Amino acid sequence: QVQLVESGGGLAQPGVSLRLSCAASGFTFSSYAMSCARRAPGKWLDWVSGIVSDVSDTYYADYVKSRFTIYRDNAKNTLYLQMNSLKPEDTELYYCGGSSGSWIRFHVGEYDYWGQGTQVTVSS
């Protein structure tokens, strides 16, 4: 049974950092490209960042570049998203997803698996 379980969300003040974790099980994590996406209430799921299966390349949406860092530990089957300098507009539900193969897919509809999400709220 495939599971992607996100954690690490919560309430944060503007300017601080949070680290999201995504624990994967039920599939060969090291063979999957992994991404994070987010969704605001009533809006579409929006791709945020991705990392290829062998950790060699990372990708970011322009609005998080230089603030967010994605990385993974294939030995622990875990994906991480370090989010620095948080802004109120980062307040969304964050998901992790996996797609088979070594390359990143930028369209969220092309992913094999998505987790249930973890809420991030940035407010003073």
Side-chain angles (χ1 to χ4, degrees):
Q1 179 183 357
V2 171
Q3 281 194 310
L4 289 171
V5 180
E6 299 94 340
S7 62
L11 176 63
Q13 291 189 330
V16 302
S17 301
L18 283 177
R19 189 183 75 164
L20 304 184
S21 299
C22 171
S25 61
F27 65 101
T28 306
F29 180 76
S30 59
S31 297
Y32 278 64
M34 298 296 295
S35 283
C36 292
R38 67 188 193 183
R39 180 168 59 194
K43 296 193 175 181
W44 297 106
L45 189 62
D46 194 22
W47 179 88
V48 172
S49 180
I51 184 168
V52 299
S53 57
D54 65 359
V55 198
S56 59
D57 288 306
T58 56
Y59 302 85
Y60 300 92
D62 287 343
Y63 53 85
V64 303
K65 202 173 291 184
S66 80
R67 298 191 298 123
F68 291 10
T69 302
I70 192 168
Y71 58 104
R72 64 193 292 168
D73 186 336
N74 285 344
K76 295 182 178 180
N77 289 352
T78 303
L79 176 74
Y80 303 95
L81 184 69
Q82 178 68 41
M83 305 186 296
N84 298 331
S85 302
L86 283 165
K87 303 176 180 181
E89 51 264 44
D90 294 320
T91 296
E92 301 203 21
L93 192 59
Y94 285 73
Y95 300 83
C96 65
S99 61
S100 59
S102 59
W103 62 94
I104 289 296
R105 302 178 191 192
F106 299 102
H107 193 286
V108 295
E110 296 180 9
Y111 280 72
D112 298 301
Y113 313 118
W114 288 103
Q116 295 301 305
T118 184
Q119 178 67 41
V120 172
T121 302
V122 184
S123 174
S124 56

